[in-house]
mmCIF file of all heavy atoms in Angstrom:
data_model
loop_
_atom_site.group_PDB
_atom_site.id
_atom_site.type_symbol
_atom_site.label_atom_id
_atom_site.label_comp_id
_atom_site.label_asym_id
_atom_site.label_seq_id
_atom_site.Cartn_x
_atom_site.Cartn_y
_atom_site.Cartn_z
ATOM 1 N N ARG A 143 3.201 -6.428 16.784
ATOM 2 C CA ARG A 143 3.164 -5.627 15.587
ATOM 3 C C ARG A 143 4.560 -5.075 15.268
ATOM 4 O O ARG A 143 4.964 -5.036 14.063
ATOM 5 C CB ARG A 143 2.181 -4.471 15.748
ATOM 6 C CG ARG A 143 0.747 -4.883 15.616
ATOM 7 C CD ARG A 143 -0.197 -3.716 15.594
ATOM 8 N NE ARG A 143 -0.348 -3.167 16.943
ATOM 9 C CZ ARG A 143 -1.264 -3.482 17.788
ATOM 10 N NH1 ARG A 143 -2.181 -4.475 17.460
ATOM 11 N NH2 ARG A 143 -1.385 -2.919 18.954
ATOM 12 N N ASP A 144 5.297 -4.652 16.285
ATOM 13 C CA ASP A 144 6.685 -4.171 16.047
ATOM 14 C C ASP A 144 7.549 -5.263 15.463
ATOM 15 O O ASP A 144 8.321 -5.018 14.528
ATOM 16 C CB ASP A 144 7.317 -3.647 17.345
ATOM 17 C CG ASP A 144 6.649 -2.372 17.826
ATOM 18 O OD1 ASP A 144 5.966 -1.728 17.041
ATOM 19 O OD2 ASP A 144 6.838 -2.003 19.023
ATOM 20 N N SER A 145 7.396 -6.509 15.987
ATOM 21 C CA SER A 145 8.158 -7.632 15.450
ATOM 22 C C SER A 145 7.790 -7.889 13.987
ATOM 23 O O SER A 145 8.659 -8.081 13.166
ATOM 24 C CB SER A 145 7.910 -8.908 16.287
ATOM 25 O OG SER A 145 8.323 -8.686 17.653
ATOM 26 N N ALA A 146 6.438 -7.860 13.713
ATOM 27 C CA ALA A 146 6.040 -8.146 12.374
ATOM 28 C C ALA A 146 6.576 -7.089 11.357
ATOM 29 O O ALA A 146 6.988 -7.442 10.261
ATOM 30 C CB ALA A 146 4.537 -8.201 12.282
ATOM 31 N N LEU A 147 6.543 -5.827 11.819
ATOM 32 C CA LEU A 147 7.056 -4.749 10.904
ATOM 33 C C LEU A 147 8.510 -4.920 10.601
ATOM 34 O O LEU A 147 8.924 -4.700 9.467
ATOM 35 C CB LEU A 147 6.789 -3.422 11.523
ATOM 36 C CG LEU A 147 5.357 -2.866 11.514
ATOM 37 C CD1 LEU A 147 5.177 -1.647 12.377
ATOM 38 C CD2 LEU A 147 4.927 -2.598 10.087
ATOM 39 N N SER A 148 9.333 -5.267 11.561
ATOM 40 C CA SER A 148 10.732 -5.430 11.394
ATOM 41 C C SER A 148 10.987 -6.653 10.508
ATOM 42 O O SER A 148 11.936 -6.660 9.715
ATOM 43 C CB SER A 148 11.485 -5.625 12.729
ATOM 44 O OG SER A 148 11.071 -6.804 13.400
ATOM 45 N N ILE A 149 10.149 -7.667 10.645
ATOM 46 C CA ILE A 149 10.292 -8.901 9.832
ATOM 47 C C ILE A 149 10.006 -8.674 8.348
ATOM 48 O O ILE A 149 10.742 -9.190 7.480
ATOM 49 C CB ILE A 149 9.436 -10.030 10.403
ATOM 50 C CG1 ILE A 149 10.042 -10.489 11.764
ATOM 51 C CG2 ILE A 149 9.366 -11.185 9.402
ATOM 52 C CD1 ILE A 149 9.044 -11.305 12.575
ATOM 53 N N VAL A 150 8.971 -7.901 8.076
ATOM 54 C CA VAL A 150 8.594 -7.733 6.658
ATOM 55 C C VAL A 150 9.275 -6.582 5.981
ATOM 56 O O VAL A 150 9.171 -6.442 4.734
ATOM 57 C CB VAL A 150 7.036 -7.533 6.538
ATOM 58 C CG1 VAL A 150 6.301 -8.670 7.188
ATOM 59 C CG2 VAL A 150 6.638 -6.170 7.184
ATOM 60 N N LYS A 151 10.056 -5.775 6.705
ATOM 61 C CA LYS A 151 10.741 -4.654 6.105
ATOM 62 C C LYS A 151 11.610 -5.140 4.944
ATOM 63 O O LYS A 151 12.392 -6.040 5.117
ATOM 64 C CB LYS A 151 11.603 -3.926 7.163
ATOM 65 C CG LYS A 151 12.336 -2.736 6.607
ATOM 66 C CD LYS A 151 13.144 -2.046 7.753
ATOM 67 C CE LYS A 151 13.899 -0.864 7.199
ATOM 68 N NZ LYS A 151 14.705 -0.233 8.260
ATOM 69 N N GLY A 152 11.512 -4.489 3.776
ATOM 70 C CA GLY A 152 12.270 -4.857 2.644
ATOM 71 C C GLY A 152 11.673 -5.899 1.782
ATOM 72 O O GLY A 152 12.098 -6.183 0.628
ATOM 73 N N HIS A 153 10.565 -6.542 2.255
ATOM 74 C CA HIS A 153 9.888 -7.555 1.442
ATOM 75 C C HIS A 153 8.783 -6.886 0.592
ATOM 76 O O HIS A 153 8.232 -5.800 0.941
ATOM 77 C CB HIS A 153 9.267 -8.614 2.304
ATOM 78 C CG HIS A 153 10.223 -9.550 2.902
ATOM 79 N ND1 HIS A 153 10.726 -10.673 2.257
ATOM 80 C CD2 HIS A 153 10.921 -9.503 4.106
ATOM 81 C CE1 HIS A 153 11.603 -11.330 3.025
ATOM 82 N NE2 HIS A 153 11.709 -10.654 4.157
ATOM 83 N N ARG A 154 8.447 -7.486 -0.529
ATOM 84 C CA ARG A 154 7.406 -6.944 -1.389
ATOM 85 C C ARG A 154 5.972 -7.244 -0.885
ATOM 86 O O ARG A 154 5.765 -8.341 -0.361
ATOM 87 C CB ARG A 154 7.586 -7.500 -2.807
ATOM 88 C CG ARG A 154 8.921 -7.161 -3.451
ATOM 89 C CD ARG A 154 8.883 -7.300 -4.941
ATOM 90 N NE ARG A 154 8.010 -6.366 -5.577
ATOM 91 C CZ ARG A 154 8.338 -5.090 -5.895
ATOM 92 N NH1 ARG A 154 9.535 -4.625 -5.599
ATOM 93 N NH2 ARG A 154 7.427 -4.313 -6.469
ATOM 94 N N VAL A 155 5.089 -6.340 -1.103
ATOM 95 C CA VAL A 155 3.728 -6.495 -0.675
ATOM 96 C C VAL A 155 3.128 -7.731 -1.328
ATOM 97 O O VAL A 155 2.433 -8.519 -0.718
ATOM 98 C CB VAL A 155 2.889 -5.233 -1.004
ATOM 99 C CG1 VAL A 155 1.422 -5.464 -0.679
ATOM 100 C CG2 VAL A 155 3.422 -4.022 -0.233
ATOM 101 N N ALA A 156 3.346 -7.853 -2.653
ATOM 102 C CA ALA A 156 2.800 -8.992 -3.396
ATOM 103 C C ALA A 156 3.253 -10.348 -2.826
ATOM 104 O O ALA A 156 2.482 -11.342 -2.770
ATOM 105 C CB ALA A 156 3.175 -8.927 -4.883
ATOM 106 N N GLU A 157 4.547 -10.388 -2.349
ATOM 107 C CA GLU A 157 5.029 -11.630 -1.752
ATOM 108 C C GLU A 157 4.277 -12.012 -0.514
ATOM 109 O O GLU A 157 3.946 -13.161 -0.297
ATOM 110 C CB GLU A 157 6.525 -11.417 -1.450
ATOM 111 C CG GLU A 157 7.190 -12.567 -0.743
ATOM 112 C CD GLU A 157 8.593 -12.292 -0.257
ATOM 113 O OE1 GLU A 157 8.977 -11.078 -0.248
ATOM 114 O OE2 GLU A 157 9.270 -13.238 0.197
ATOM 115 N N LEU A 158 4.055 -10.998 0.348
ATOM 116 C CA LEU A 158 3.349 -11.280 1.615
ATOM 117 C C LEU A 158 1.875 -11.637 1.349
ATOM 118 O O LEU A 158 1.344 -12.451 2.067
ATOM 119 C CB LEU A 158 3.410 -10.060 2.507
ATOM 120 C CG LEU A 158 4.620 -10.025 3.477
ATOM 121 C CD1 LEU A 158 4.504 -11.164 4.499
ATOM 122 C CD2 LEU A 158 5.950 -10.107 2.731
ATOM 123 N N MET A 159 1.255 -11.056 0.319
ATOM 124 C CA MET A 159 -0.113 -11.456 -0.025
ATOM 125 C C MET A 159 -0.199 -12.896 -0.460
ATOM 126 O O MET A 159 -1.036 -13.683 -0.008
ATOM 127 C CB MET A 159 -0.624 -10.579 -1.125
ATOM 128 C CG MET A 159 -0.913 -9.133 -0.717
ATOM 129 S SD MET A 159 -2.397 -8.919 0.272
ATOM 130 C CE MET A 159 -3.672 -9.156 -0.997
ATOM 131 N N SER A 160 0.768 -13.331 -1.257
ATOM 132 C CA SER A 160 0.805 -14.697 -1.723
ATOM 133 C C SER A 160 1.041 -15.651 -0.565
ATOM 134 O O SER A 160 0.380 -16.703 -0.428
ATOM 135 C CB SER A 160 1.908 -14.873 -2.766
ATOM 136 O OG SER A 160 1.993 -16.198 -3.161
ATOM 137 N N ILE A 161 1.948 -15.322 0.341
ATOM 138 C CA ILE A 161 2.245 -16.175 1.468
ATOM 139 C C ILE A 161 1.050 -16.193 2.413
ATOM 140 O O ILE A 161 0.728 -17.193 3.027
ATOM 141 C CB ILE A 161 3.510 -15.648 2.197
ATOM 142 C CG1 ILE A 161 4.725 -15.894 1.361
ATOM 143 C CG2 ILE A 161 3.625 -16.329 3.640
ATOM 144 C CD1 ILE A 161 6.003 -15.288 1.990
ATOM 145 N N GLY A 162 0.329 -15.070 2.525
ATOM 146 C CA GLY A 162 -0.911 -15.009 3.338
ATOM 147 C C GLY A 162 -1.938 -16.044 2.950
ATOM 148 O O GLY A 162 -2.603 -16.620 3.789
ATOM 149 N N GLU A 163 -2.041 -16.266 1.641
ATOM 150 C CA GLU A 163 -2.983 -17.263 1.180
ATOM 151 C C GLU A 163 -2.641 -18.660 1.684
ATOM 152 O O GLU A 163 -3.502 -19.430 2.135
ATOM 153 C CB GLU A 163 -3.006 -17.279 -0.377
ATOM 154 C CG GLU A 163 -3.467 -15.989 -1.035
ATOM 155 C CD GLU A 163 -4.940 -15.889 -1.126
ATOM 156 O OE1 GLU A 163 -5.658 -16.817 -0.662
ATOM 157 O OE2 GLU A 163 -5.440 -14.894 -1.625
ATOM 158 N N GLU A 164 -1.372 -18.944 1.651
ATOM 159 C CA GLU A 164 -0.863 -20.277 2.132
ATOM 160 C C GLU A 164 -1.087 -20.394 3.669
ATOM 161 O O GLU A 164 -1.485 -21.432 4.106
ATOM 162 C CB GLU A 164 0.578 -20.447 1.767
ATOM 163 C CG GLU A 164 0.877 -20.387 0.290
ATOM 164 C CD GLU A 164 2.403 -20.426 -0.006
ATOM 165 O OE1 GLU A 164 3.162 -20.439 0.974
ATOM 166 O OE2 GLU A 164 2.730 -20.306 -1.231
ATOM 167 N N ILE A 165 -0.782 -19.349 4.386
ATOM 168 C CA ILE A 165 -0.843 -19.358 5.816
ATOM 169 C C ILE A 165 -2.309 -19.481 6.261
ATOM 170 O O ILE A 165 -2.586 -20.189 7.270
ATOM 171 C CB ILE A 165 -0.229 -18.115 6.444
ATOM 172 C CG1 ILE A 165 1.303 -18.089 6.223
ATOM 173 C CG2 ILE A 165 -0.524 -17.952 7.918
ATOM 174 C CD1 ILE A 165 2.011 -16.862 6.671
ATOM 175 N N TYR A 166 -3.183 -18.887 5.537
ATOM 176 C CA TYR A 166 -4.618 -19.046 5.857
ATOM 177 C C TYR A 166 -5.043 -20.536 5.840
ATOM 178 O O TYR A 166 -5.692 -21.001 6.754
ATOM 179 C CB TYR A 166 -5.509 -18.259 4.876
ATOM 180 C CG TYR A 166 -6.968 -18.429 5.107
ATOM 181 C CD1 TYR A 166 -7.625 -17.672 6.097
ATOM 182 C CD2 TYR A 166 -7.721 -19.452 4.452
ATOM 183 C CE1 TYR A 166 -9.040 -17.906 6.353
ATOM 184 C CE2 TYR A 166 -9.073 -19.610 4.692
ATOM 185 C CZ TYR A 166 -9.719 -18.848 5.653
ATOM 186 O OH TYR A 166 -10.986 -19.090 5.903
ATOM 187 N N ASP A 167 -4.615 -21.208 4.792
ATOM 188 C CA ASP A 167 -4.956 -22.644 4.680
ATOM 189 C C ASP A 167 -4.272 -23.468 5.807
ATOM 190 O O ASP A 167 -4.869 -24.409 6.314
ATOM 191 C CB ASP A 167 -4.522 -23.176 3.301
ATOM 192 C CG ASP A 167 -5.392 -22.650 2.184
ATOM 193 O OD1 ASP A 167 -6.571 -22.375 2.411
ATOM 194 O OD2 ASP A 167 -4.852 -22.445 1.057
ATOM 195 N N GLU A 168 -3.072 -23.114 6.139
ATOM 196 C CA GLU A 168 -2.301 -23.897 7.121
ATOM 197 C C GLU A 168 -2.781 -23.686 8.530
ATOM 198 O O GLU A 168 -2.810 -24.696 9.313
ATOM 199 C CB GLU A 168 -0.793 -23.530 6.991
ATOM 200 C CG GLU A 168 -0.170 -23.938 5.707
ATOM 201 C CD GLU A 168 1.247 -23.323 5.517
ATOM 202 O OE1 GLU A 168 1.678 -22.642 6.437
ATOM 203 O OE2 GLU A 168 1.845 -23.575 4.475
ATOM 204 N N TYR A 169 -3.075 -22.504 8.919
ATOM 205 C CA TYR A 169 -3.318 -22.192 10.367
ATOM 206 C C TYR A 169 -4.640 -21.526 10.685
ATOM 207 O O TYR A 169 -5.067 -21.529 11.840
ATOM 208 C CB TYR A 169 -2.213 -21.259 10.849
ATOM 209 C CG TYR A 169 -0.780 -21.819 10.742
ATOM 210 C CD1 TYR A 169 0.142 -21.312 9.899
ATOM 211 C CD2 TYR A 169 -0.446 -22.940 11.533
ATOM 212 C CE1 TYR A 169 1.394 -21.776 9.812
ATOM 213 C CE2 TYR A 169 0.829 -23.421 11.442
ATOM 214 C CZ TYR A 169 1.772 -22.891 10.549
ATOM 215 O OH TYR A 169 3.000 -23.423 10.488
ATOM 216 N N MET A 170 -5.307 -20.911 9.718
ATOM 217 C CA MET A 170 -6.459 -20.112 10.047
ATOM 218 C C MET A 170 -7.839 -20.724 9.649
ATOM 219 O O MET A 170 -8.815 -20.595 10.415
ATOM 220 C CB MET A 170 -6.337 -18.737 9.408
ATOM 221 C CG MET A 170 -5.103 -17.973 9.804
ATOM 222 S SD MET A 170 -5.067 -16.387 8.962
ATOM 223 C CE MET A 170 -3.479 -15.723 9.548
ATOM 224 N N ALA A 171 -7.906 -21.412 8.554
ATOM 225 C CA ALA A 171 -9.168 -21.867 7.992
ATOM 226 C C ALA A 171 -9.955 -22.738 9.013
ATOM 227 O O ALA A 171 -11.189 -22.580 9.166
ATOM 228 C CB ALA A 171 -8.944 -22.695 6.722
ATOM 229 N N GLU A 172 -9.268 -23.587 9.765
ATOM 230 C CA GLU A 172 -9.939 -24.472 10.692
ATOM 231 C C GLU A 172 -10.320 -23.723 12.013
ATOM 232 O O GLU A 172 -10.975 -24.327 12.856
ATOM 233 C CB GLU A 172 -9.077 -25.646 11.017
ATOM 234 C CG GLU A 172 -7.782 -25.329 11.722
ATOM 235 C CD GLU A 172 -6.910 -26.540 11.993
ATOM 236 O OE1 GLU A 172 -7.196 -27.639 11.437
ATOM 237 O OE2 GLU A 172 -5.967 -26.440 12.847
ATOM 238 N N ARG A 173 -9.944 -22.502 12.149
ATOM 239 C CA ARG A 173 -10.180 -21.742 13.387
ATOM 240 C C ARG A 173 -11.332 -20.766 13.255
ATOM 241 O O ARG A 173 -11.556 -19.891 14.128
ATOM 242 C CB ARG A 173 -8.938 -21.069 13.882
ATOM 243 C CG ARG A 173 -7.838 -22.075 14.341
ATOM 244 C CD ARG A 173 -6.584 -21.365 14.777
ATOM 245 N NE ARG A 173 -5.712 -22.307 15.493
ATOM 246 C CZ ARG A 173 -4.893 -23.171 14.900
ATOM 247 N NH1 ARG A 173 -4.816 -23.192 13.558
ATOM 248 N NH2 ARG A 173 -4.120 -23.985 15.655
ATOM 249 N N ILE A 174 -12.066 -20.800 12.135
ATOM 250 C CA ILE A 174 -13.157 -19.865 11.952
ATOM 251 C C ILE A 174 -14.396 -20.331 12.775
ATOM 252 O O ILE A 174 -14.746 -21.513 12.707
ATOM 253 C CB ILE A 174 -13.579 -19.807 10.439
ATOM 254 C CG1 ILE A 174 -12.338 -19.321 9.616
ATOM 255 C CG2 ILE A 174 -14.759 -18.869 10.288
ATOM 256 C CD1 ILE A 174 -11.799 -17.956 9.962
#
Side-chain angles (χ1 to χ4, degrees):
R143 283 188 285 270
D144 290 343
S145 298
L147 284 170
S148 65
I149 289 166
V150 303
K151 181 179 180 180
H153 287 274
R154 299 196 66 81
V155 175
E157 176 189 11
L158 270 294
M159 288 287 286
S160 177
I161 290 174
E163 296 278 0
E164 299 172 2
I165 292 175
Y166 177 84
D167 289 328
E168 293 170 3
Y169 299 113
M170 301 179 184
E172 64 181 15
R173 292 178 168 82
I174 301 300

